[in-house]
Each structure stands twice: as C-alpha cells, then as structure tokens.
Amino acid sequence: MTDTKTLIDDSQRYIANTYSRYPLVLVRGQGCKVWSSDGREYLDFVAGLAVCNLGHCHPKVVQAIHDQSRKLLHVSNFYHIEPQIELAKVLCENSFADRVFFCNSGAEANEAAIKLARKYAKDTGRAERFEIITMERSFHGRTMATLSATGQEKFRKGFDPLLPGFRYVPFNDIEGVLRAVTPHTCAIMVEPIQGEGGVNCPSDGYLRDLRELCREEKILLIFDEVQVGMGRTGKLFAHEHDGVFPDIMTLAKSLAGGVPIGAMLAAEEVAKSLTPGTHASTFGGNPLATAAGLAALTALLEDDLLGNCTRVGAYFFKRLMDLKLKNPFIKEVRGRGLIIGMELGFEGSQIVIRCMEEGFLINCTMGNVLRFLPPLIVTHEEVDQLIEVMGRIFGECGEGA
Ligand SMILES: Cc1ncc(COP(=O)(O)O)c(C=O)c1O
C-alpha cells in the first residue's frame, strides 16, 4: 500500500486545488467511525457533510450495491429502470410529491428546480416571470445557475457574469421577501434550515408565511433539502416540522447512503411542465445509485433512525448548551435533530484541528460556527466522548485568554 506521505504529496500534485484538505487520508469507515491510512480511528461528526446519515458502509446499502452491480450497472434513460422506479415510488409515497427527476448531485437537483420554475411560468402563460428570490447566507451549489442562486458573495466572486434573475433577501425576513416580489418573480427558493450559512433555523411561522405568500402571488415555493433532508432533523424532510409543503423539493447528499445521487421532486401540477426533451441527465437515476437509494431510504424508514436522531439530537444539544454555560465565548447553540451549530466568538478552525488530534472529526462553517452532522445512528456515549474532549479543548482556550 502507498504510504501516507506519498498519497498526500500526490494529492497535492494531481488533484485540482479546490479544497484546503487536512493531512489525513481516510481509507475505511464503519458506522460512526472512520480509519486513516496510518491506522488511527476517528469518531466522525462530519459524515461526509450530511451524506452518511446511515453511518459508513451501512450493510443494507452495501448489500444492495453488491447485488445490483452483478445485475446491471447502467442503461440509458431511453428505457425504464427498475430501482429508479421503485425509489421514485417510495419518495412520492412519503412526501408531498407526485414525480421525481433524478440527477447526480445537489447542484444538479437545484438546476432542475430553477429550470422547472421558469418553464412552469411560461407554460402557465406568464412568460415575463423568471426571477427567483433566494436568501442571504443560502447555499445552493457551485454550477453557474446555483451559484447565482446562492446568497453569499464569497462563493460568487470571480465568476461574473452570473445568471440574471436572482434576488437575495435576509433569511427569516418575510417583509423583505414581500418587498422583493415583482411581476417577474416565478419562485422563492429556501433551505428549511440553512446549513453552509451557519445552521440558521427558520423562526416560528416563517416557512408557513412563505407558503402563504407563494399561494397569494401564484408563485412556486422550492425547498432545498439537500443538506437537511433524509432524516437529518428527526423527520424525513425538515419542512415537516413546520407542517408546510413546497411545490418543488431538492434532495441529494444522503439519499443513496453514500453513492452520488440527486433528485428533484415536484407536485403533478408543476411536474407536468417537464416533457420529453426538456431536461435530462445521462447518469440520472442510474441503476446502481437508485438501488443504493432504495436500500438507504428503506433502512431510514424502517430502523428507527428518525427516533434515534430526535433523542440523541436533543441530548447532544443539551450537552452543547452545558458547554455554553461554562464558556462565555460560545455565542449560541442552534439546530434541530442532528444538524447542530455552535457559534463561537472567534475562528473555529483551531478547534476543529484540536478535535482531530483527539480522534474526533467535526466541521466549521462561516469561519466561527462549529457544525456537527454525525450519522443518525450516533449514540449518547459517542456524544459524551466528544463533549468531554471539547470541554477540555475549550478549557485550553480559556487558559490562553
Ligand atoms: C443546501 C445545499 N444545497 C445544495 C448543495 C450542493 O450540493 P452538491 O455539492 O451535491 O452539488 C449543498 C451542498 O453542501 C447544500 O448544502
């Protein structure tokens, strides 16, 4: 096996330099644990940034990949594809949606949603409507359209001219949305909890107000559930907490338990604007990805993962609040289920590195928000272990202050 130093040197030599990576090569994963090339074990509170909701290498997903890989890896969407049909059926049976368009990533799912919103406006005789309102601090992807939708200047910088037709308003500001609606608006696109933007939760009634506004203005509501869908908040989809339903929803990340996939779901009235030739993807709904997706979704629905997420999520939140009580530099703890953010009064990157040294993988977003996204199978004991280590590390911060 190639030694760790050579791997990292070759990574820096051959891989496009789009990530600042930690000097760690992860080679194996099981449940909440991952192992590095030098044999160290880590408890993973990143989970591929909300991809490995079932834990690493879930046996049902592994089995489905194994079985499908012996049957059929790929055929064109010119033909009907069995696992694709089955996954779409289970998704529709468990959501507001009537139809699913499959693709390969969150950005592609959002691209499809943006295209559909514009097409639906045209098909319903409102060709002048093409603008989409999105939120400041949102994140919708890195393709040109989804970058244009993303309400964070730092991601868009250097890529002008962007796609026209997006307006950004502050998250949780319904008046701001009202002011931004024009005769050109065709949709509002929002994450039910902002992930990359710092784990920002909707205030009470915000999503309901957006739904009402969309109904009044006859425009579409798009929920980007790429990060917070598939059980991450303790319900299958985050918007279920608020009892409101979108016209279009996008999914990706953990939908296929670690295999690349994306999906755009829509109600029939809107989905009917997608007719043969209007949109496509070679790999979208690929047999291998959708077989993995079907296994992952079935496990999520059958194995009480939502229950565990709610119980352990509440416990984790409380333990983080305990840390906040002891450490005045912790500004806020926020989140739902097992997407939790802890806002610090300083840069969080050193805390991430210190946790890694102690055998725990955590993430930091927006510079100062520690973000925790463990697999939904994480236990109280594993949470305790992280809290114990973080308590110690925060103690060191206090000493340095
Ligand atoms: C809410 C949200 N939308 C879209 C995306 C983009 O997904 P992908 O990286 O699969 O294109 C992300 C990725 O983090 C996300 O969090």
Side-chain angles (χ1 to χ4, degrees):
M1 208 182 102
T2 315
D3 67 276
T4 301
K5 183 178 178 317
T6 307
L7 282 172
I8 292 177
D9 286 350
D10 284 355
S11 172
Q12 283 165 350
R13 164 80 180 75
Y14 293 110
I15 307 283
N17 193 24
T18 57
Y19 281 86
S20 0
R21 296 173 196 261
Y22 299 106
L24 200 60
V25 183
L26 297 175
V27 293
R28 190 161 70 84
Q30 196 62 59
C32 290
K33 291 182 178 154
V34 286
W35 287 267
S36 62
S37 51
D38 47 14
R40 257 201 97 183
E41 182 179 296
Y42 295 85
L43 258 183
D44 186 3
F45 282 75
V46 178
L49 282 180
V51 168
C52 309
N53 285 9
L54 301 181
H56 292 277
C57 298
H58 190 284
K60 290 182 182 167
V61 176
V62 170
Q63 188 64 49
I65 292 170
H66 179 260
D67 294 347
Q68 187 61 42
S69 70
R70 294 163 69 97
K71 273 198 274 184
L72 185 66
L73 279 177
H74 185 79
V75 282
S76 166
N77 276 306
F78 287 153
Y79 314 100
H80 296 281
I81 296 170
E82 193 179 356
Q84 181 185 123
I85 299 161
E86 290 173 5
L87 177 57
K89 188 168 177 222
V90 183
L91 281 170
C92 290
E93 283 170 355
N94 286 280
S95 72
F96 72 95
D98 301 304
R99 287 184 188 267
V100 184
F101 171 81
F102 285 109
C103 49
N104 311 286
S105 67
E108 277 180 73
N110 286 331
E111 283 274 345
I114 292 164
K115 283 182 71 176
L116 177 55
R118 287 187 170 188
K119 179 80 167 41
Y120 178 72
K122 300 227 170 9
D123 289 352
T124 49
R126 297 170 309 154
E128 72 290 355
R129 289 188 175 261
F130 61 90
E131 279 182 0
I132 299 182
I133 297 171
T134 68
M135 307 305 151
E136 289 171 10
R137 294 178 168 234
S138 60
F139 186 83
H140 298 296
R142 304 282 197 151
T143 60
M144 285 309 288
T146 58
L147 201 56
S148 308
T150 292
Q152 295 191 62
E153 171 62 22
K154 68 177 186 225
F155 294 119
R156 301 194 304 258
K157 210 164 148 236
F159 297 103
D160 292 343
L162 295 170
L163 191 71
F166 292 92
R167 285 171 173 256
Y168 318 111
V169 300
F171 188 62
N172 273 335
D173 176 6
I174 193 73
E175 297 299 322
V177 181
L178 263 172
R179 280 194 298 275
V181 173
T182 74
H184 298 300
T185 310
C186 70
I188 296 171
M189 181 156 152
V190 62
E191 297 157 80
I193 294 176
Q194 292 186 328
E196 297 300 309
V199 190
N200 307 313
C201 296
S203 46
D204 275 352
Y206 175 63
L207 297 181
R208 226 172 311 126
D209 289 348
L210 285 180
R211 174 72 279 176
E212 202 39 49
L213 197 158
C214 286
R215 218 186 310 274
E216 278 167 17
E217 298 287 336
K218 295 194 172 48
I219 56 180
L220 298 180
L221 182 59
I222 305 170
F223 282 158
D224 177 343
E225 293 245 8
V226 166
Q227 187 160 147
V228 294
M230 309 318 296
R232 175 61 47 197
T233 64
K235 294 207 185 274
L236 186 55
F237 305 115
H239 65 258
E240 293 174 28
H241 291 281
D242 299 79
V244 290
F245 298 92
D247 303 294
I248 299 174
M249 169 171 73
T250 55
L251 300 172
K253 289 201 185 268
S254 87
L255 175 56
V259 176
I261 194 168
M264 181 200 60
L265 287 75
E268 181 65 26
E269 160 62 16
V270 179
K272 70 182 187 218
S273 280
L274 292 178
T275 50
T278 50
H279 199 44
S281 162
T282 296
F283 280 120
N286 162 281
L288 190 72
T290 47
L294 185 62
L297 179 53
T298 309
L300 189 61
L301 293 171
E302 288 177 357
D303 297 350
D304 191 36
L305 288 166
L306 301 179
N308 192 67
C309 175
T310 304
R311 287 188 299 275
V312 181
Y315 178 72
F316 193 5
F317 195 94
K318 186 186 163 301
R319 297 289 334 254
L320 291 169
M321 287 300 280
D322 293 343
L323 285 180
K324 178 174 180 290
L325 277 179
K326 291 192 198 125
N327 298 283
F329 52 77
I330 299 173
K331 303 273 175 230
E332 196 180 16
V333 178
R334 50 187 185 249
R336 183 167 245 168
L338 284 168
I339 174 167
I340 308 181
M342 173 183 262
E343 186 174 334
L344 305 176
F346 52 82
E347 280 274 316
S349 52
Q350 280 311 311
I351 305 289
V352 174
I353 289 169
R354 280 292 293 117
C355 283
M356 196 179 301
E357 286 166 1
E358 300 286 337
F360 293 83
L361 303 184
I362 65 167
N363 170 254
C364 180
T365 188
M366 299 303 277
N368 67 338
V369 182
L370 300 180
R371 181 172 42 164
F372 307 96
L373 297 158
L376 310 184
I377 54 168
V378 71
T379 63
H380 293 83
E381 293 70 32
E382 287 164 335
V383 165
D384 285 340
Q385 289 171 36
L386 174 68
I387 295 291
E388 199 264 317
V389 159
M390 283 178 58
R392 238 181 320 117
I393 293 171
F394 285 154
E396 294 165 15
C397 295
E399 281 159 28

